[in-house]
Amino acid sequence: MRRVMLAALLAAALPTTAAATAGAAAQRAPATAAAPRSILFIGNSFTQGAHSAVRNWHAESVTDLTGAGYGGVPALFKAFTEQAGLRYAVSLETQGGQSLAFHYEQRRHLIDRPWDVVVLQEYSTLDRERPGDATRYIRASGQLASLFRARNHAVRVELMATWSRADQTYLPGGHWHGRPIAAMADDLRSAADRARRTNRAVAGVIPVGQAWNRAFAAGVADPDPYDGITFGQANLWSYDQYHASTAGYYLEALTVFGAITGVDPRSLGRGERAADELGLSPDLAVSLQAVAHAELAQR
């Protein structure tokens, strides 16, 4: 079954039709002449690209409002937009191990300004003391969305729903222990959907965790790093089975890129330069692009 799904994804990754190519070109053309759109990423180590080569990759291409010098997922997003012929001024404000409540309570002085787009990424278990509890997440995302809307009524605020942690799933004591690997990501997505429904200033949810689940189901990535990585499959987690690997962050950035810009991630193709610089094979890059496209098609 996984081979069939992988074959379907790879078939979908073939060059787009003339109509789709023309549509992408039409999207790109006006962006070259327009002023850059501003986008702010708020989050923690999952946005920073921690424990991978992504963390400081091309940090000079983005603005780290804390001065820490991270590139991370925002730098990957920036690279994708440039290759797509789009102009984005990309900023990030991050703090490892922190929730959105922290950013609202302690970092407002850095982020309280007009933005065109804001991407909000919550702590990996939603609540450190009460894993899976979305109460604080819903409140903080609403507070931040309202803050940005007061500065720019047309701001687009998106919530990023992240992935299942292998350590929380396969190890005894993990909150999702004993459940399928997709369960944690699906719970995080449900919480993000609740936050979006509760807070009218939130425009949507970026399904990063569901893209990971799709990669597992299609055989692109191995769903259990504790029993060894199957030959030909990627490990989306880093060495701690918690944070993402370079491939995992690449899939995260592809999903964000497609969701925010509306450009098909498959248009980046085998020659996508970030994958090449970070040591991802062209085959893997194309497979992950196809996964992101397929997931966003369901959005």
Side-chain angles (χ1 to χ4, degrees):
M1 179 63 70
R2 285 184 178 177
R3 290 183 179 178
V4 173
M5 293 186 69
L6 177 55
L9 281 170
L10 290 176
L14 293 173
T16 54
T17 63
T21 304
Q27 279 185 306
R28 296 174 194 174
T32 343
R37 285 176 60 77
S38 63
I39 181 170
L40 172 66
F41 288 80
I42 297 178
N44 50 45
S45 54
F46 280 19
T47 294
Q48 292 170 353
H51 303 321
S52 81
V54 171
R55 185 183 65 180
N56 301 112
W57 186 80
H58 284 263
E60 78 288 345
S61 69
V62 297
T63 301
D64 187 338
L65 299 181
T66 70
Y70 292 118
V73 171
L76 283 174
F77 174 87
K78 173 71 172 180
F80 297 159
T81 60
E82 289 179 341
Q83 291 171 84
L86 304 175
R87 297 182 65 206
Y88 276 83
V90 182
S91 299
L92 63 147
E93 187 277 292
T94 63
Q95 184 63 49
Q98 294 294 342
S99 67
L100 290 177
F102 166 87
H103 298 283
Y104 180 75
E105 293 163 3
Q106 300 192 38
R107 294 282 177 81
R108 256 181 296 178
H109 63 288
L110 294 178
I111 60 178
D112 187 8
R113 61 181 83 170
W115 303 96
D116 293 317
V117 183
V118 178
V119 176
L120 302 176
Q121 178 254 309
E122 182 56 285
Y123 185 71
S124 62
T125 63
L126 299 180
D127 190 305
R128 187 190 295 273
E129 290 75 33
R130 297 184 296 277
D133 187 335
T135 305
R136 294 178 181 174
Y137 175 35
I138 293 172
R139 180 172 62 247
S141 58
Q143 289 171 324
L144 285 164
S146 296
L147 178 75
F148 296 126
R149 195 171 187 180
R151 287 289 190 171
N152 174 17
H153 190 73
V155 66
R156 177 180 170 189
V157 178
E158 294 271 349
L159 305 178
M160 186 199 302
T162 55
W163 53 86
S164 296
R165 286 171 46 177
D167 64 327
Q168 284 281 325
T169 301
Y170 295 111
L171 299 184
H175 184 72
W176 285 268
H177 178 62
R179 298 178 64 192
I181 189 59
M184 180 176 178
D186 288 342
D187 286 352
L188 299 178
R189 171 62 186 275
S190 294
D193 287 338
R194 284 174 54 202
R196 178 184 55 80
R197 290 193 301 268
T198 303
N199 303 307
R200 292 185 178 181
V202 173
V205 176
I206 303 175
V208 172
Q210 280 60 55
W212 277 47
N213 288 349
R214 185 176 291 273
F216 299 143
V220 173
D222 193 307
D224 186 354
Y226 289 104
D227 64 1
I229 303 301
T230 301
F231 178 76
Q233 294 184 352
N235 184 358
L236 297 183
W237 291 282
S238 186
Y239 55 81
D240 59 2
Q241 322 307 341
Y242 170 169
H243 292 84
S245 64
T246 296
Y249 288 122
Y250 187 77
L251 180 54
E252 175 185 352
L254 287 169
T255 309
V256 174
F257 165 72
I260 297 300
T261 67
V263 174
D264 187 338
R266 298 174 303 174
S267 65
L268 296 169
R270 294 178 63 83
E272 197 286 305
R273 70 168 184 261
D276 180 59
E277 290 183 16
L278 290 166
L280 301 180
S281 74
D283 285 347
L284 179 57
V286 166
S287 293
L288 294 174
Q289 291 165 16
V291 168
H293 163 77
E295 187 55 45
L296 290 170
Q298 306 299 315
R299 190 173 183 245

